[in-house]
C-alpha cells in the first residue's frame, strides 16, 4: 500500500493511540507462568504481539482472545510443553529474545525463527549470557543470527554486567533466572525500560532493584493478574511531534503510559520548547498513566546523548523529524543501537529525510541536523519495511511542501494498525 500525505493546516482532536507493545508482550508471557487465569485488558492487537500470543499457544498455553481482551490460563513454572513446530516470531525482536531466555530454562527443544529482518538481528547479546547460565543455543553466523535452536535445561543463576542497555536482554535473562538454580544478579550500563521488573514484582517474584542492579531470587510462584495496558508512548510519539510542529494544532492523547524509563521524548521535546502538558496523572498496575495535551510551538535545536538514549530509543526517528523542524543545529549521539533495530534506523532516517530536503549528516552513532522547517519538500520515500520509519516520514510529510508518498505503508501494523485512520481523522 502507498500512502500519500499532504501539508497540514493543523491537527485537532482527542485520540487514543495503540496499547503498549512492550507491556502487552510481557503480560502474555508472564501470565503463562502464573498459577491461574490472568486477564489482559486493552492488549495490543498488532502483528508483533500477535506473534507472541501464537508462540505461547505453541508452548502449550491456552490463550483466548476476545476483541482487545486476552485471557491466559497460566501453567505455572513447570507447565510449558515442547512446541511441535518452530516458534515464528515474525518481525518481533522482543518475542524472539524474551522467548529464547524462557525456553533455555525448560527441558525441551525449541527452534525460533523470524522474518528476513529479524533473522539478521544480533542474538549473541542474549545467547552469550544464557550460555554462562549453562544454556545450549545454536544460531547462524557463528551463533548470532536466527533461526535459533535451543536445547533447554535447568540453568544456574549468574552475576552479569549487561554490556548494552537493552530491556530485551535484561528480560530474557530474568525469564531464564526465574527457573534457575540460585540468584541472578544483573547490572545494566544505563537504565532501560523496567516493565519486566514492575510486572514480575507485582506478580510475586522476589526481585530487588538497586539503581542499575537487579537481584532475582528464584522459587516464588507467580500469581495471576488483571492487567490493564496503557497506551504506548512510542505510538503517541508520532502525534506529540506532529502536533508540536504543525501550526494551529491542539491535541489530547488519552491514557498514555509515561513510565520514566520510557518518557525521554517528553523531556526532550519540552527542552526544545514544545508546549506539552501532562494531565490527570494516575498510577495503575504499577505504571504511571496520564493524558497529554500538546499544542503547536516553535522548536529549538537540541543535542542528546548519554543515559537518556535508552529512554527514547524507539522515538529517535520521529525526534529527528522534530529536529528537522526546529531552528538551529541538533544532534543525536551514542545511539548506535539504532543500527540493529528492524532496519538500520540511522541510515534509513538520514536517507529518507535527506530526500525530503533535510540537511542531515549521518554519524556512526547518530546524526546531526541543521533544522529548517521551510526546507522540507514532499517526495516519494521508503519505509525500509520498518513501522517506525514509515510513521516518522508521515509526520515529516505534514510539514513538507507538496505531497509525500510512503511505500509499503501497511508496515505500521507491526505496532500501530490504526495509525493511518487516526492521522486522517485529526489532520485538517
Ligand atoms: C523493547 C526494548 C527495546 C526497544 C524495543 C522493545 C522491549 O529494544 O527498542 O522496541 O519491549 O523490551 P532493546 O532492548 O534491544 O533496546
Amino acid at each position: 500500500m502507498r500512502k500519500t500525505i499532504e501539508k497540514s493546516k493543523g491537527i485537532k482532536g482527542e485520540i487514543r493511540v495503540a496499547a503498549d507493545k512492550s507491556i502487552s508482550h510481557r503480560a502474555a508471557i508472564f501470565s503463562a507462568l502464573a498459577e491461574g487465569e490472568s486477564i489482559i485488558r486493552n492488549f495490543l492487537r498488532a502483528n508483533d504481539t500477535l506473534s507472541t500470543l501464537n508462540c505461547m499457544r505453541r508452548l502449550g498455553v491456552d490463550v483466548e482472545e476476545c476483541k482487545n481482551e486476552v485471557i491466559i490460563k497460566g501453567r505455572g513454572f513447570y507447565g510449558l510443553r515442547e512446541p511441535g513446530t518452530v516458534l515464528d516470531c515474525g518481525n518481533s525482536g522482543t518475542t524472539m529474545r524474551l522467548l529464547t531466555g524462557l525456553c533455555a530454562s525448560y527441558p525441551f527443544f525449541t527452534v525460533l525463527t523470524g522474518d528476513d529482518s529479524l533473522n539478521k538481528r544480533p542474538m549473541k547479546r542474549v545467547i552469550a549470557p544464557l550460555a554462562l547460565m549453562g544454556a545450549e543455543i545454536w544460531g547462524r553466523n557463528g551463533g548470532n543470527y536466527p533461526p535459533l535452536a535451543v536445547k533447554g535445561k535447568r540453568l544456574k543463576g549468574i552475576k552479569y554486567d549487561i554490556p548494552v542497555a537493552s530491556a530485551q536482554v535484561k528480560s530474557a535473562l530474568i525469564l531464564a533466572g526465574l527457573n534457575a538454580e540460585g540468584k541472578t544478579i544483573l547490572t545494566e550500563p544505563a537504565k532501560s525500560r523496567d516493565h519486566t521488573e514492575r510486572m514480575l514484582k507485582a506478580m510475586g517474584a522476589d526481585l530487588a532493584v538497586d539503581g542499575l542492579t537487579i537481584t532475582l531470587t528464584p522459587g516464588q510462584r507467580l500469581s495471576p493478574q488483571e492487567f490493564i495496558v496503557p497506551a504506548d508512548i512510542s505510538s503517541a510519539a508520532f502525534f506529540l511531534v506532529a502536533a508540536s510542529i504543525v501550526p494551529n494544532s491542539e491535541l489530547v492523547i488519552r491514557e498514555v503510559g509515561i513510565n520514566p524509563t520510557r518518557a525521554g521524548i517528553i523531556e526532550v521535546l519540552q527542552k526544545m520548547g514544545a508546549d506539552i502538558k501532562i494531565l490527570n496523572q494516575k498510577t495503575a498496575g504499577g505504571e504511571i498513566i496520564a493524558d497529554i495535551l500538546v499544542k503547536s510551538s516553535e522548536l529549538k535545536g537540541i543535542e542528546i546523548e548519554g543515559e537518556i538514549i535508552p529512554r527514547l530509543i524507539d522515538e529517535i526517528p520521529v525526534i529527528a523529524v522534530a529536529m528537522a523542524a526546529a531552528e538551529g543545529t541538533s544532534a543525536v549521539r551514542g545511539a548506535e543501537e539504532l543500527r540493529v533495530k528492524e532496519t538500520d534506523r540511522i541510515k534509513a532516517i538520514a536517507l529518507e529525510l535527506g530526500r525530503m530536503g533535510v540537511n542531515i549528516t549521518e554519524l556512526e552513532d547518530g546524526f546531526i541536523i541543521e533544522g529548517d522547517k521551510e526546507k522540507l519538500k514532499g517526495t516519494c520515500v521508503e519505509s525500509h519495511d520498518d513501522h517506525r520509519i514509515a510513521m516518522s516520514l508521515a509526520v515529516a510529510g505534514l510539514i513538507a511542501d507538496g505531497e509525500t508518498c510512503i511505500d509499503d505503508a501497511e508496515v505500521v501494523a507491526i505496532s500501530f494498525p490504526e495509525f493511518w485512520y487516526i492521522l486522517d481523522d485529526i489532520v485538517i
Side-chain angles (χ1 to χ4, degrees):
M1 176 182 104
R2 173 177 276 201
K3 181 77 189 167
T4 304
I5 307 284
E6 282 170 20
K7 188 165 181 168
S8 167
K9 297 192 183 68
I11 290 180
K12 298 263 179 202
E14 198 184 301
I15 56 172
R16 276 171 201 277
V17 298
D20 193 287
K21 184 154 82 71
S22 294
I23 296 178
S24 295
H25 282 300
R26 287 162 172 77
I29 298 170
F30 302 163
S31 294
L33 306 177
E35 311 228 335
E37 191 172 284
S38 289
I39 176 155
I40 312 171
R41 299 195 198 278
N42 196 35
F43 184 84
L44 171 67
R45 293 191 55 80
N47 293 354
D48 267 12
T49 43
L50 294 177
S51 292
T52 290
L53 289 189
N54 287 333
C55 290
M56 297 320 290
R57 288 194 176 100
R58 296 235 185 272
L59 287 163
V61 180
D62 189 349
V63 178
E64 225 178 276
E65 291 172 76
C66 178
K67 294 193 185 145
N68 290 348
E69 277 182 21
V70 174
I71 297 171
I72 296 196
K73 299 209 173 63
R75 299 179 64 90
F77 282 130
Y78 302 101
L80 297 185
R81 276 203 313 259
E82 182 171 73
T85 184
V86 297
L87 300 185
D88 184 356
C89 304
N91 190 246
S92 174
T94 308
T95 309
M96 176 153 308
R97 295 199 177 112
L98 269 58
L99 293 187
T100 300
L102 180 70
C103 292
S105 68
Y106 282 85
F108 50 64
F109 178 71
T110 318
V111 177
L112 300 105
T113 192
D115 66 7
D116 288 349
S117 152
L118 183 55
N119 283 351
K120 284 186 219 118
R121 294 183 64 188
M123 296 296 148
K124 262 247 162 79
R125 51 181 64 199
V126 283
I127 294 174
L130 287 170
L132 296 175
M133 297 176 82
E136 291 186 80
I137 304 173
W138 296 266
R140 295 185 306 119
N141 198 253
N144 196 24
Y145 290 162
L148 302 180
V150 181
K151 188 170 156 231
K153 58 167 155 166
R154 188 154 164 79
L155 303 176
K156 297 181 301 290
I158 47 165
K159 186 166 185 310
Y160 185 68
D161 289 344
I162 306 176
V164 279
S166 161
Q168 293 179 355
V169 174
K170 171 173 68 175
S171 303
L173 300 179
I174 290 174
L175 278 163
L178 279 175
N179 217 1
E181 206 184 303
K183 289 184 200 283
T184 293
I185 304 171
L186 305 171
T187 303
E188 299 185 85
K191 191 89 174 164
S192 65
R193 64 193 67 193
D194 66 355
H195 306 299
T196 295
E197 297 89 305
R198 288 172 187 253
M199 293 166 81
L200 285 176
K201 263 200 220 171
M203 295 175 83
D206 183 348
L207 201 144
V209 180
D210 179 10
L212 296 174
T213 299
I214 299 160
T215 303
L216 168 69
T217 310
Q220 308 300 316
R221 294 175 167 193
L222 298 184
S223 56
Q225 302 287 306
E226 178 186 345
F227 294 102
I228 303 174
V229 183
D232 198 325
I233 190 163
S234 299
S235 294
F238 304 105
F239 296 104
L240 290 176
V241 173
S244 295
I245 63 177
V246 173
N248 187 32
S249 298
E250 179 164 347
L251 185 71
V252 176
I253 314 175
R254 293 278 178 219
E255 303 200 314
V256 182
I258 54 163
N259 178 322
T261 62
R262 297 284 302 281
I265 183 166
I266 296 179
E267 291 166 39
V268 164
L269 289 175
Q270 284 176 334
K271 277 194 194 142
M272 294 176 82
D275 184 351
I276 294 179
K277 291 196 177 62
I278 305 295
L279 311 170
N280 306 322
Q281 187 168 318
K282 61 184 180 198
T283 303
E287 294 286 347
I288 308 165
I289 294 162
D291 298 333
I292 306 178
L293 169 65
V294 50
K295 296 184 191 169
S296 353
S297 50
E298 293 300 321
L299 300 183
K300 299 180 299 289
I302 192 171
E303 302 211 351
I304 56 174
E305 64 185 319
E307 68 76 36
I308 200 162
I309 296 294
R311 299 196 291 116
L312 46 65
I313 189 75
D314 290 343
E315 291 67 73
I316 291 176
V318 78
I319 289 174
V321 177
M323 291 170 162
E327 198 195 305
T329 308
S330 292
V332 173
R333 294 192 180 82
E336 58 279 358
E337 272 297 297
L338 288 180
R339 294 211 180 263
V340 290
K341 295 293 179 189
E342 285 83 331
T343 188
D344 176 342
R345 286 183 175 160
I346 295 179
K347 193 166 148 200
I349 206 72
L351 185 66
E352 303 306 333
L353 286 184
R355 276 188 181 153
M356 294 181 77
V358 175
N359 184 347
I360 175 166
T361 311
E362 194 178 327
L363 306 174
E364 200 40 54
D365 60 347
F367 44 79
I368 296 172
I369 293 179
E370 299 298 336
D372 184 353
K373 222 173 180 166
E374 307 304 318
K375 273 203 166 163
L376 278 92
K377 49 183 192 312
T379 183
C380 277
V381 288
E382 283 168 39
S383 70
H384 297 244
D385 266 330
D386 182 319
H387 52 137
R388 299 200 201 281
I389 297 293
M391 292 185 273
S392 301
L393 294 173
V395 175
L398 296 173
I399 57 160
D401 270 337
E403 273 187 3
T404 301
C405 67
I406 301 168
D407 274 336
D408 301 321
E410 66 281 355
V411 72
V412 302
I414 289 292
S415 61
F416 196 172
E418 309 83 13
F419 176 76
W420 298 117
Y421 304 107
I422 296 179
L423 186 66
D424 286 344
D425 224 39
I426 57 176
V427 165
I428 301 171

